[in-house]
Amino acid sequence: MNIRNLLCTGTALTSCFAPAAVFAQSLADAGANSSPVVDDTYSRGAGDIVVTARRRAENVQDVPIAISVVSGATLDEQGAYNISRLAQLAPTLQFYSQNPRNTFINIRGIGAPFGLTNDGFEQGVGIYIDDVYYNRIASATLDFVDVERIEVLRGPQGTLYGKNTTAGAINITTRAPSFDFEGKAEVSLGNLNFKQGKASVSGPLTDKIAARISVTGTSRRGTLYDTAKSAWIQSQDNIGVRGSLLWKATPNFNLTVSGDYNLQDPSCCAFAYGGYGPTQRAANRQYPALISYFPGYQVPSTNPYERVTDADAALAARNEHGGLSARAIWEISDANTLTSITAWRYWDWGPANDRDYTGLPIYTKVNNPTKQSQYTQEFRFSHQGAGYDVVLGLFGFHQKIHTSGVQETGTAASRWLLAPPAGGVCTPTSTALACNPAVLNNVVAINDIRLNNTSLAAFAKLNVEVTDRFTVSPGVRVNYDKKMGLYDSVVTGTASNGTRQIVSAVPGSPSFNDPWTAAQRGIQASQFFEPNFSAWNLSYDLNLRYAVTNDVNVYATYAKSFKTGGINLNGVPADANGAPILAAGTIKPEKVDHFELGFKSQFWDRRATLNVSGFWTEIKDFQANVTNGQFGTIRGYLANAEKIRTRGLEADFTIRPSERFIAHASGAYTDAKYTRFVDAPCPPELSGGTTATGSQVVGPAGVAGSLSPANCDISGQVLPGISKWAASWGAEGNVPSTLFGEEGHFYFGYDASYRSRWSSNPSPSIYTWVNGYSIQNFRAGFRTGRVDTFAWVRNAFDKDYIDLLLAGTGGNTGLIAAQVGDPRTWGGTIRLTF
């Protein structure tokens, strides 16, 4: 069995899920994406996997932090061609995506708040490809292009990776240009019209210049049928191209220049009907009554697993990324190396959404197309001394974002959003505004949203060998951030006299007292503010490692980290005079205290690996996504929860008794809660009624017409998106044989994942708990050193499961929308290596 079978992953620390293979890589290459030299022979005791997670080449079993490592070959063989599928291999990595822009990645329960993305804050899981930071989380949904390996670093990584890694980092290394001609091509076909092709070729152009070019393309029919368009949606339509040139100018200096282009353009994204959960709103304003106001309308299915919806608005999810980078490595001497990484990236997001989650023309547009450009520069100097080594660095980042959004209501908006007449029946003589479609029809918000974001940092990481078995590794990072934003939303609507007027929340403004304008103002009003934020922050950590034996290490870590403060760029609540509450325009930085203990071990001549760790992380001023309780509010805003805590245990075990068989099992227990959040938004069952004041007693949950709290104390309740229990496991066996005169192996592989139930709402709701589930995958084929052909089936038992639940259209009508996971898929792959 060869390197293509390598899978190294774990929940506490990395272990190798394949026959041992040696990664020989020099310290000088630690900053480069050069391909390691691999010994393909099976050799007990040669289980070294070299990673560069700490910006230096190290055996992963010696790194005193929690890491999972997955080879590019394993990603190919198990069909994990993006981070969504990678999450099935790493139990504490969770991935959620309403669409590419509204995507969340969590590690150990933290990383990104649930809700629509806000441009003015940072994610807590940093994504790096060849040492280049990808600021936009939408890049996580793109297909991997010619990946060498992926390192998932769990826990705060602020010293070396920066302020955006309070939960962890995903460090992706692509295959580098080779001075030996090589190539790979593969084609996969499957049900749902699945088609995927990949190709890569590399070789020398001169004796000092090598090149590599890689392409990938994926297409698949959608899994959700839209009856309004008579078409399948939630499709896949991805292409990616990556090219790089490596110039070895001298034996001590090399330069790699890379460029990439990636595009998703699927028919996407919508939700199915997920259910109804009664709220405290008046019964005639909840989902069953609202639907009854539209005779002839009927939801296409009340069973989300029938995968049917009726999204009547236009849908689009065009997600385009690209960029250029230059990495220079100068080995000044045997002990000193200087690395420079310069990069420019852009992002172009072109969406169209149906945000009312019905087939009615309530909101006909809720679209926020966005353009972004970013520039990064990093310098690193590494020095290897007698009994110590050190990495020093400088980092600079500048980003510009411009969003030109639009929100528009339709002919069903008045009936759905405004109070009904007595008895709920509109007659030809009714004067109720809800009975007049013209009142809210074509209320349009034109949004101009801008951000200038600058970040500068200096950092250092030191490793000191106190003895030949005890290593102390302190680190520090000083960071400066400055954010300048603009939010300008101009809302216009038709006044009762038939003229178009600006819908203003400021008393005394033109047409302020017009009844139609007043009704429109209750749904959305114009708003303008220019938030800004700047601050210095300090991160530091201390790692201790003790080698009990050559194959057993114990470690302890303390990290003091932060996530920079943010600015709200989705609008903020207004005061009694209609002015934006400027204090809500900014949010405080998160302040993180992290503790971790663990050990990693290999035994039975390194045939077996067992790694275990425990962690405890507390975050003050946790950045959460909230709403202000106003029914018409579509987009939430950011606020600080006083404190959260996540803690848990992670373990993984791997056994490879021979080159014929390997098995692995990983598990994680994670307990993630709000320690203190006393003014959180309330869940749907405690919202929608008249707000209780003074000594009034809040009504029972889910009872129509009862009094609602202004906010809720959710201290002690769970964070969204995290399962208390998660696991992955699998095995592969092979038998030597000959097929068509070619010597190779027949093999059979199995892998699976499990997660327990989890909350899909920022404030836990009885209506949005997602049931736990397990997914089983199988593959079988014949492999030689040149050709690999196999059949595969994913979600083999066609398990029905939910990816995401959310409260639709304002949150208190009782409508629950569901995003359903993939059904069983199957197909075959042929891969040629030359």
Side-chain angles (χ1 to χ4, degrees):
M1 191 176 292
N2 57 33
I3 190 62
R4 293 198 314 258
N5 303 319
L6 176 65
L7 170 57
C8 299
T9 189
T11 54
L13 285 162
T14 306
S15 64
C16 306
F17 294 168
V22 179
F23 276 57
Q25 187 175 30
S26 69
L27 283 173
D29 290 331
N33 62 331
S34 56
S35 298
V37 178
V38 177
D39 180 358
D40 262 354
T41 60
Y42 177 80
S43 171
R44 292 196 306 269
D48 297 339
I49 302 300
V50 171
V51 296
T52 56
R54 294 198 298 172
R55 308 305 195 194
R56 56 195 285 264
E58 302 175 274
N59 182 342
V60 71
Q61 289 292 99
D62 295 336
V63 179
I65 57 177
I67 309 174
S68 301
V69 185
V70 183
S71 74
T74 297
L75 296 172
D76 291 341
E77 291 171 0
Q78 298 196 16
Y81 52 85
N82 56 33
I83 292 178
S84 171
R85 294 181 181 270
L86 175 66
Q88 295 184 13
L89 303 178
T92 53
L93 173 66
Q94 302 295 347
F95 177 94
Y96 312 95
S97 182
Q98 297 183 35
N99 57 45
R101 184 174 190 263
N102 295 302
T103 295
F104 326 106
I105 300 177
N106 286 342
I107 294 177
R108 295 173 169 175
I110 55 177
F114 267 43
L116 298 181
T117 298
N118 193 313
D119 288 328
F121 83 113
E122 312 291 334
Q123 302 290 327
V125 177
I127 299 174
Y128 295 79
I129 300 181
D130 295 333
D131 285 352
V132 175
Y133 172 50
Y134 281 48
N135 180 265
R136 302 314 305 171
I137 200 67
S139 60
T141 65
L142 297 169
D143 287 359
F144 299 137
V145 181
D146 209 13
V147 168
E148 178 66 46
R149 70 179 181 276
I150 298 178
E151 302 166 9
V152 180
L153 287 66
R154 296 189 297 282
Q157 306 297 324
T159 298
L160 288 175
Y161 288 85
K163 59 191 172 59
N164 54 287
T165 56
T166 51
I170 299 174
N171 189 31
I172 301 173
T173 301
T174 65
R175 293 184 175 93
S178 169
F179 281 92
D180 295 319
F181 180 75
E182 62 181 36
K184 182 179 72 172
E186 73 172 61
V187 174
S188 298
L189 300 174
N191 66 330
L192 303 180
N193 295 325
F194 176 78
K195 295 181 286 292
Q196 187 174 72
K198 300 180 182 179
S200 177
V201 63
S202 182
L205 300 181
T206 70
D207 60 347
K208 292 188 176 183
I209 300 176
R212 177 180 289 274
I213 186 166
S214 308
V215 297
T216 181
T218 303
S219 67
R220 193 183 76 176
R221 193 207 75 189
T223 56
L224 186 65
Y225 189 75
D226 186 356
T227 59
K229 301 179 181 63
S230 299
W232 289 95
I233 59 175
Q234 316 295 66
S235 64
Q236 295 180 12
D237 187 1
N238 310 339
I239 60 171
V241 181
R242 186 176 188 87
S244 55
L245 288 172
L246 170 61
W247 175 38
K248 287 191 173 291
T250 72
N252 299 323
F253 180 83
N254 66 72
L255 173 68
T256 302
V257 178
S258 302
D260 67 281
Y261 173 81
N262 306 272
L263 174 66
Q264 288 177 310
D265 196 12
S267 298
C268 191
C269 302
F271 281 64
Y273 175 90
Y276 162 66
T279 71
Q280 292 178 320
R281 207 171 191 214
N284 63 2
R285 304 299 298 129
Q286 295 198 39
Y287 181 76
L290 292 170
I291 289 296
S292 72
Y293 299 153
F294 298 89
Y297 176 72
Q298 182 174 315
V299 64
S301 175
T302 57
N303 179 1
Y305 299 117
E306 290 185 355
R307 294 182 170 85
V308 178
T309 190
D310 57 350
D312 58 311
L315 297 177
R318 190 180 190 278
N319 181 34
E320 181 182 336
H321 277 265
L324 298 170
S325 67
R327 184 204 317 255
I329 301 175
W330 178 25
E331 294 180 51
I332 302 170
S333 66
D334 290 342
N336 301 302
T337 301
L338 180 64
T339 302
S340 169
I341 303 119
T342 306
W344 162 79
R345 298 206 59 77
Y346 79 96
W347 176 53
D348 191 349
W349 167 237
N353 300 295
D354 191 341
R355 282 280 181 234
D356 55 55
Y357 307 113
T358 74
L360 299 169
I362 303 168
Y363 288 98
T364 55
K365 294 179 182 178
V366 185
N367 310 332
N368 282 276
T370 299
K371 294 182 181 295
Q372 180 229 280
S373 63
Q374 70 168 63
Y375 303 85
T376 56
Q377 174 64 57
E378 184 169 359
F379 295 105
R380 290 200 302 266
F381 173 77
S382 62
H383 172 72
Q384 181 74 44
Y388 75 95
D389 63 79
V390 64
V391 176
L392 305 173
L394 298 172
F395 177 78
F397 167 83
H398 183 69
Q399 172 192 45
K400 288 185 177 181
I401 299 178
H402 185 200
T403 297
S404 305
V406 59
Q407 178 172 306
E408 182 178 299
T409 53
T411 55
S414 296
R415 199 72 177 96
W416 189 276
L417 300 176
L418 301 179
V425 178
C426 288
T427 66
T429 59
S430 177
T431 59
L433 296 181
C435 297
N436 187 346
V439 175
L440 292 189
N441 184 40
N442 201 31
V443 174
V444 179
I446 301 298
N447 303 323
D448 184 9
I449 305 170
R450 300 172 187 260
L451 173 69
N452 277 280
N453 183 10
T454 300
S455 183
L456 303 171
F459 58 91
K461 184 69 175 180
L462 175 66
N463 299 286
V464 180
E465 297 176 1
V466 179
T467 71
D468 59 349
R469 292 193 176 276
F470 182 50
T471 303
V472 177
S473 303
V476 65
R477 187 182 189 104
V478 179
N479 208 96
Y480 173 75
D481 290 284
K482 184 175 180 62
K483 297 180 179 180
M484 300 178 63
L486 177 144
Y487 180 85
D488 185 9
S489 180
V490 179
V491 182
T492 58
T494 303
S496 58
N497 62 5
T499 61
R500 295 290 292 180
Q501 298 288 337
I502 291 178
V503 180
S504 174
V506 180
S509 59
S511 73
F512 182 83
N513 295 319
D514 183 273
W516 286 26
T517 304
Q520 295 158 8
R521 184 168 58 249
I523 305 306
Q524 187 164 359
S526 301
Q527 191 172 89
F528 176 88
F529 61 98
E530 294 180 285
N532 61 80
F533 172 88
S534 63
W536 289 88
N537 275 285
L538 178 70
S539 295
Y540 51 90
D541 59 28
L542 178 65
N543 308 112
L544 306 176
R545 180 179 71 89
Y546 183 75
V548 181
T549 69
N550 290 338
D551 292 326
V552 178
N553 288 281
V554 295
Y555 75 93
T557 296
Y558 170 72
K560 181 73 173 181
S561 188
F562 81 102
K563 186 164 73 175
T564 186
I567 58 178
N568 271 302
L569 292 177
N570 283 349
V572 295
D575 61 20
N577 295 319
I581 300 175
L582 297 181
T586 60
I587 53 172
K588 300 175 185 177
E590 291 184 353
K591 295 173 279 293
V592 183
D593 284 286
H594 172 77
F595 304 86
E596 187 157 342
L597 295 172
F599 77 85
K600 40 186 168 175
S601 62
Q602 292 181 309
F603 50 94
W604 194 17
D605 288 339
R606 295 192 178 181
R607 292 184 179 99
T609 302
L610 175 64
N611 296 329
V612 178
S613 74
F615 63 90
W616 187 298
T617 305
E618 295 183 345
I619 303 179
K620 295 180 180 179
D621 293 324
F622 178 73
Q623 294 169 359
N625 216 338
V626 304
T627 59
N628 63 4
Q630 185 179 353
F631 171 73
T633 298
I634 291 296
R635 308 184 69 82
Y637 65 98
L638 294 168
N640 292 106
E642 291 95 322
K643 189 176 182 180
I644 68 157
R645 180 264 298 147
T646 179
R647 62 186 177 185
L649 293 171
E650 302 168 327
D652 93 285
F653 176 72
T654 302
I655 186 168
R656 45 184 186 277
S658 75
E659 61 183 338
R660 302 286 168 250
F661 181 77
I662 180 172
H664 65 90
S666 301
Y669 167 80
T670 308
D671 179 24
K673 293 182 177 180
Y674 296 100
T675 305
R676 180 174 172 81
F677 195 5
V678 298
D679 57 351
C682 293
E685 61 269 25
L686 286 171
S687 65
T690 302
T691 301
T693 59
S695 61
Q696 290 181 311
V697 178
V698 172
V703 175
S706 49
L707 292 172
S708 296
N711 44 52
C712 287
D713 183 352
I714 60 172
S715 304
Q717 298 192 44
V718 299
L719 292 175
I722 183 67
S723 296
K724 183 165 287 188
W725 297 97
S728 64
W729 62 93
E732 183 177 303
N734 71 84
V735 177
S737 187
T738 301
L739 183 65
F740 302 126
E742 293 283 339
E743 293 185 357
H745 299 82
F746 283 103
Y747 63 93
F748 178 81
Y750 161 72
D751 61 89
S753 62
Y754 165 79
R755 62 179 305 188
S756 61
R757 73 171 194 153
W758 54 279
S759 170
S760 186
N761 198 64
S763 297
S765 168
I766 58 177
Y767 306 134
T768 56
W769 279 96
V770 176
N771 292 329
Y773 58 88
S774 179
I775 302 297
Q776 322 289 317
N777 310 310
F778 298 91
R779 62 189 181 279
F782 182 77
R783 178 188 297 131
T784 71
R786 189 175 62 90
V787 179
D788 188 4
T789 178
F790 60 98
W792 45 265
V793 57
R794 299 170 189 135
N795 190 9
F797 303 116
D798 204 20
K799 175 67 177 178
D800 287 332
Y801 66 98
I802 296 293
D803 276 335
L804 200 64
L805 290 175
L806 55 84
T809 324
N812 52 41
T813 67
L815 172 63
I816 305 298
Q819 187 178 69
V820 183
D822 278 358
R824 175 171 51 226
T825 58
W826 50 265
T829 297
I830 298 176
R831 181 179 300 120
L832 174 66
T833 302
F834 54 90

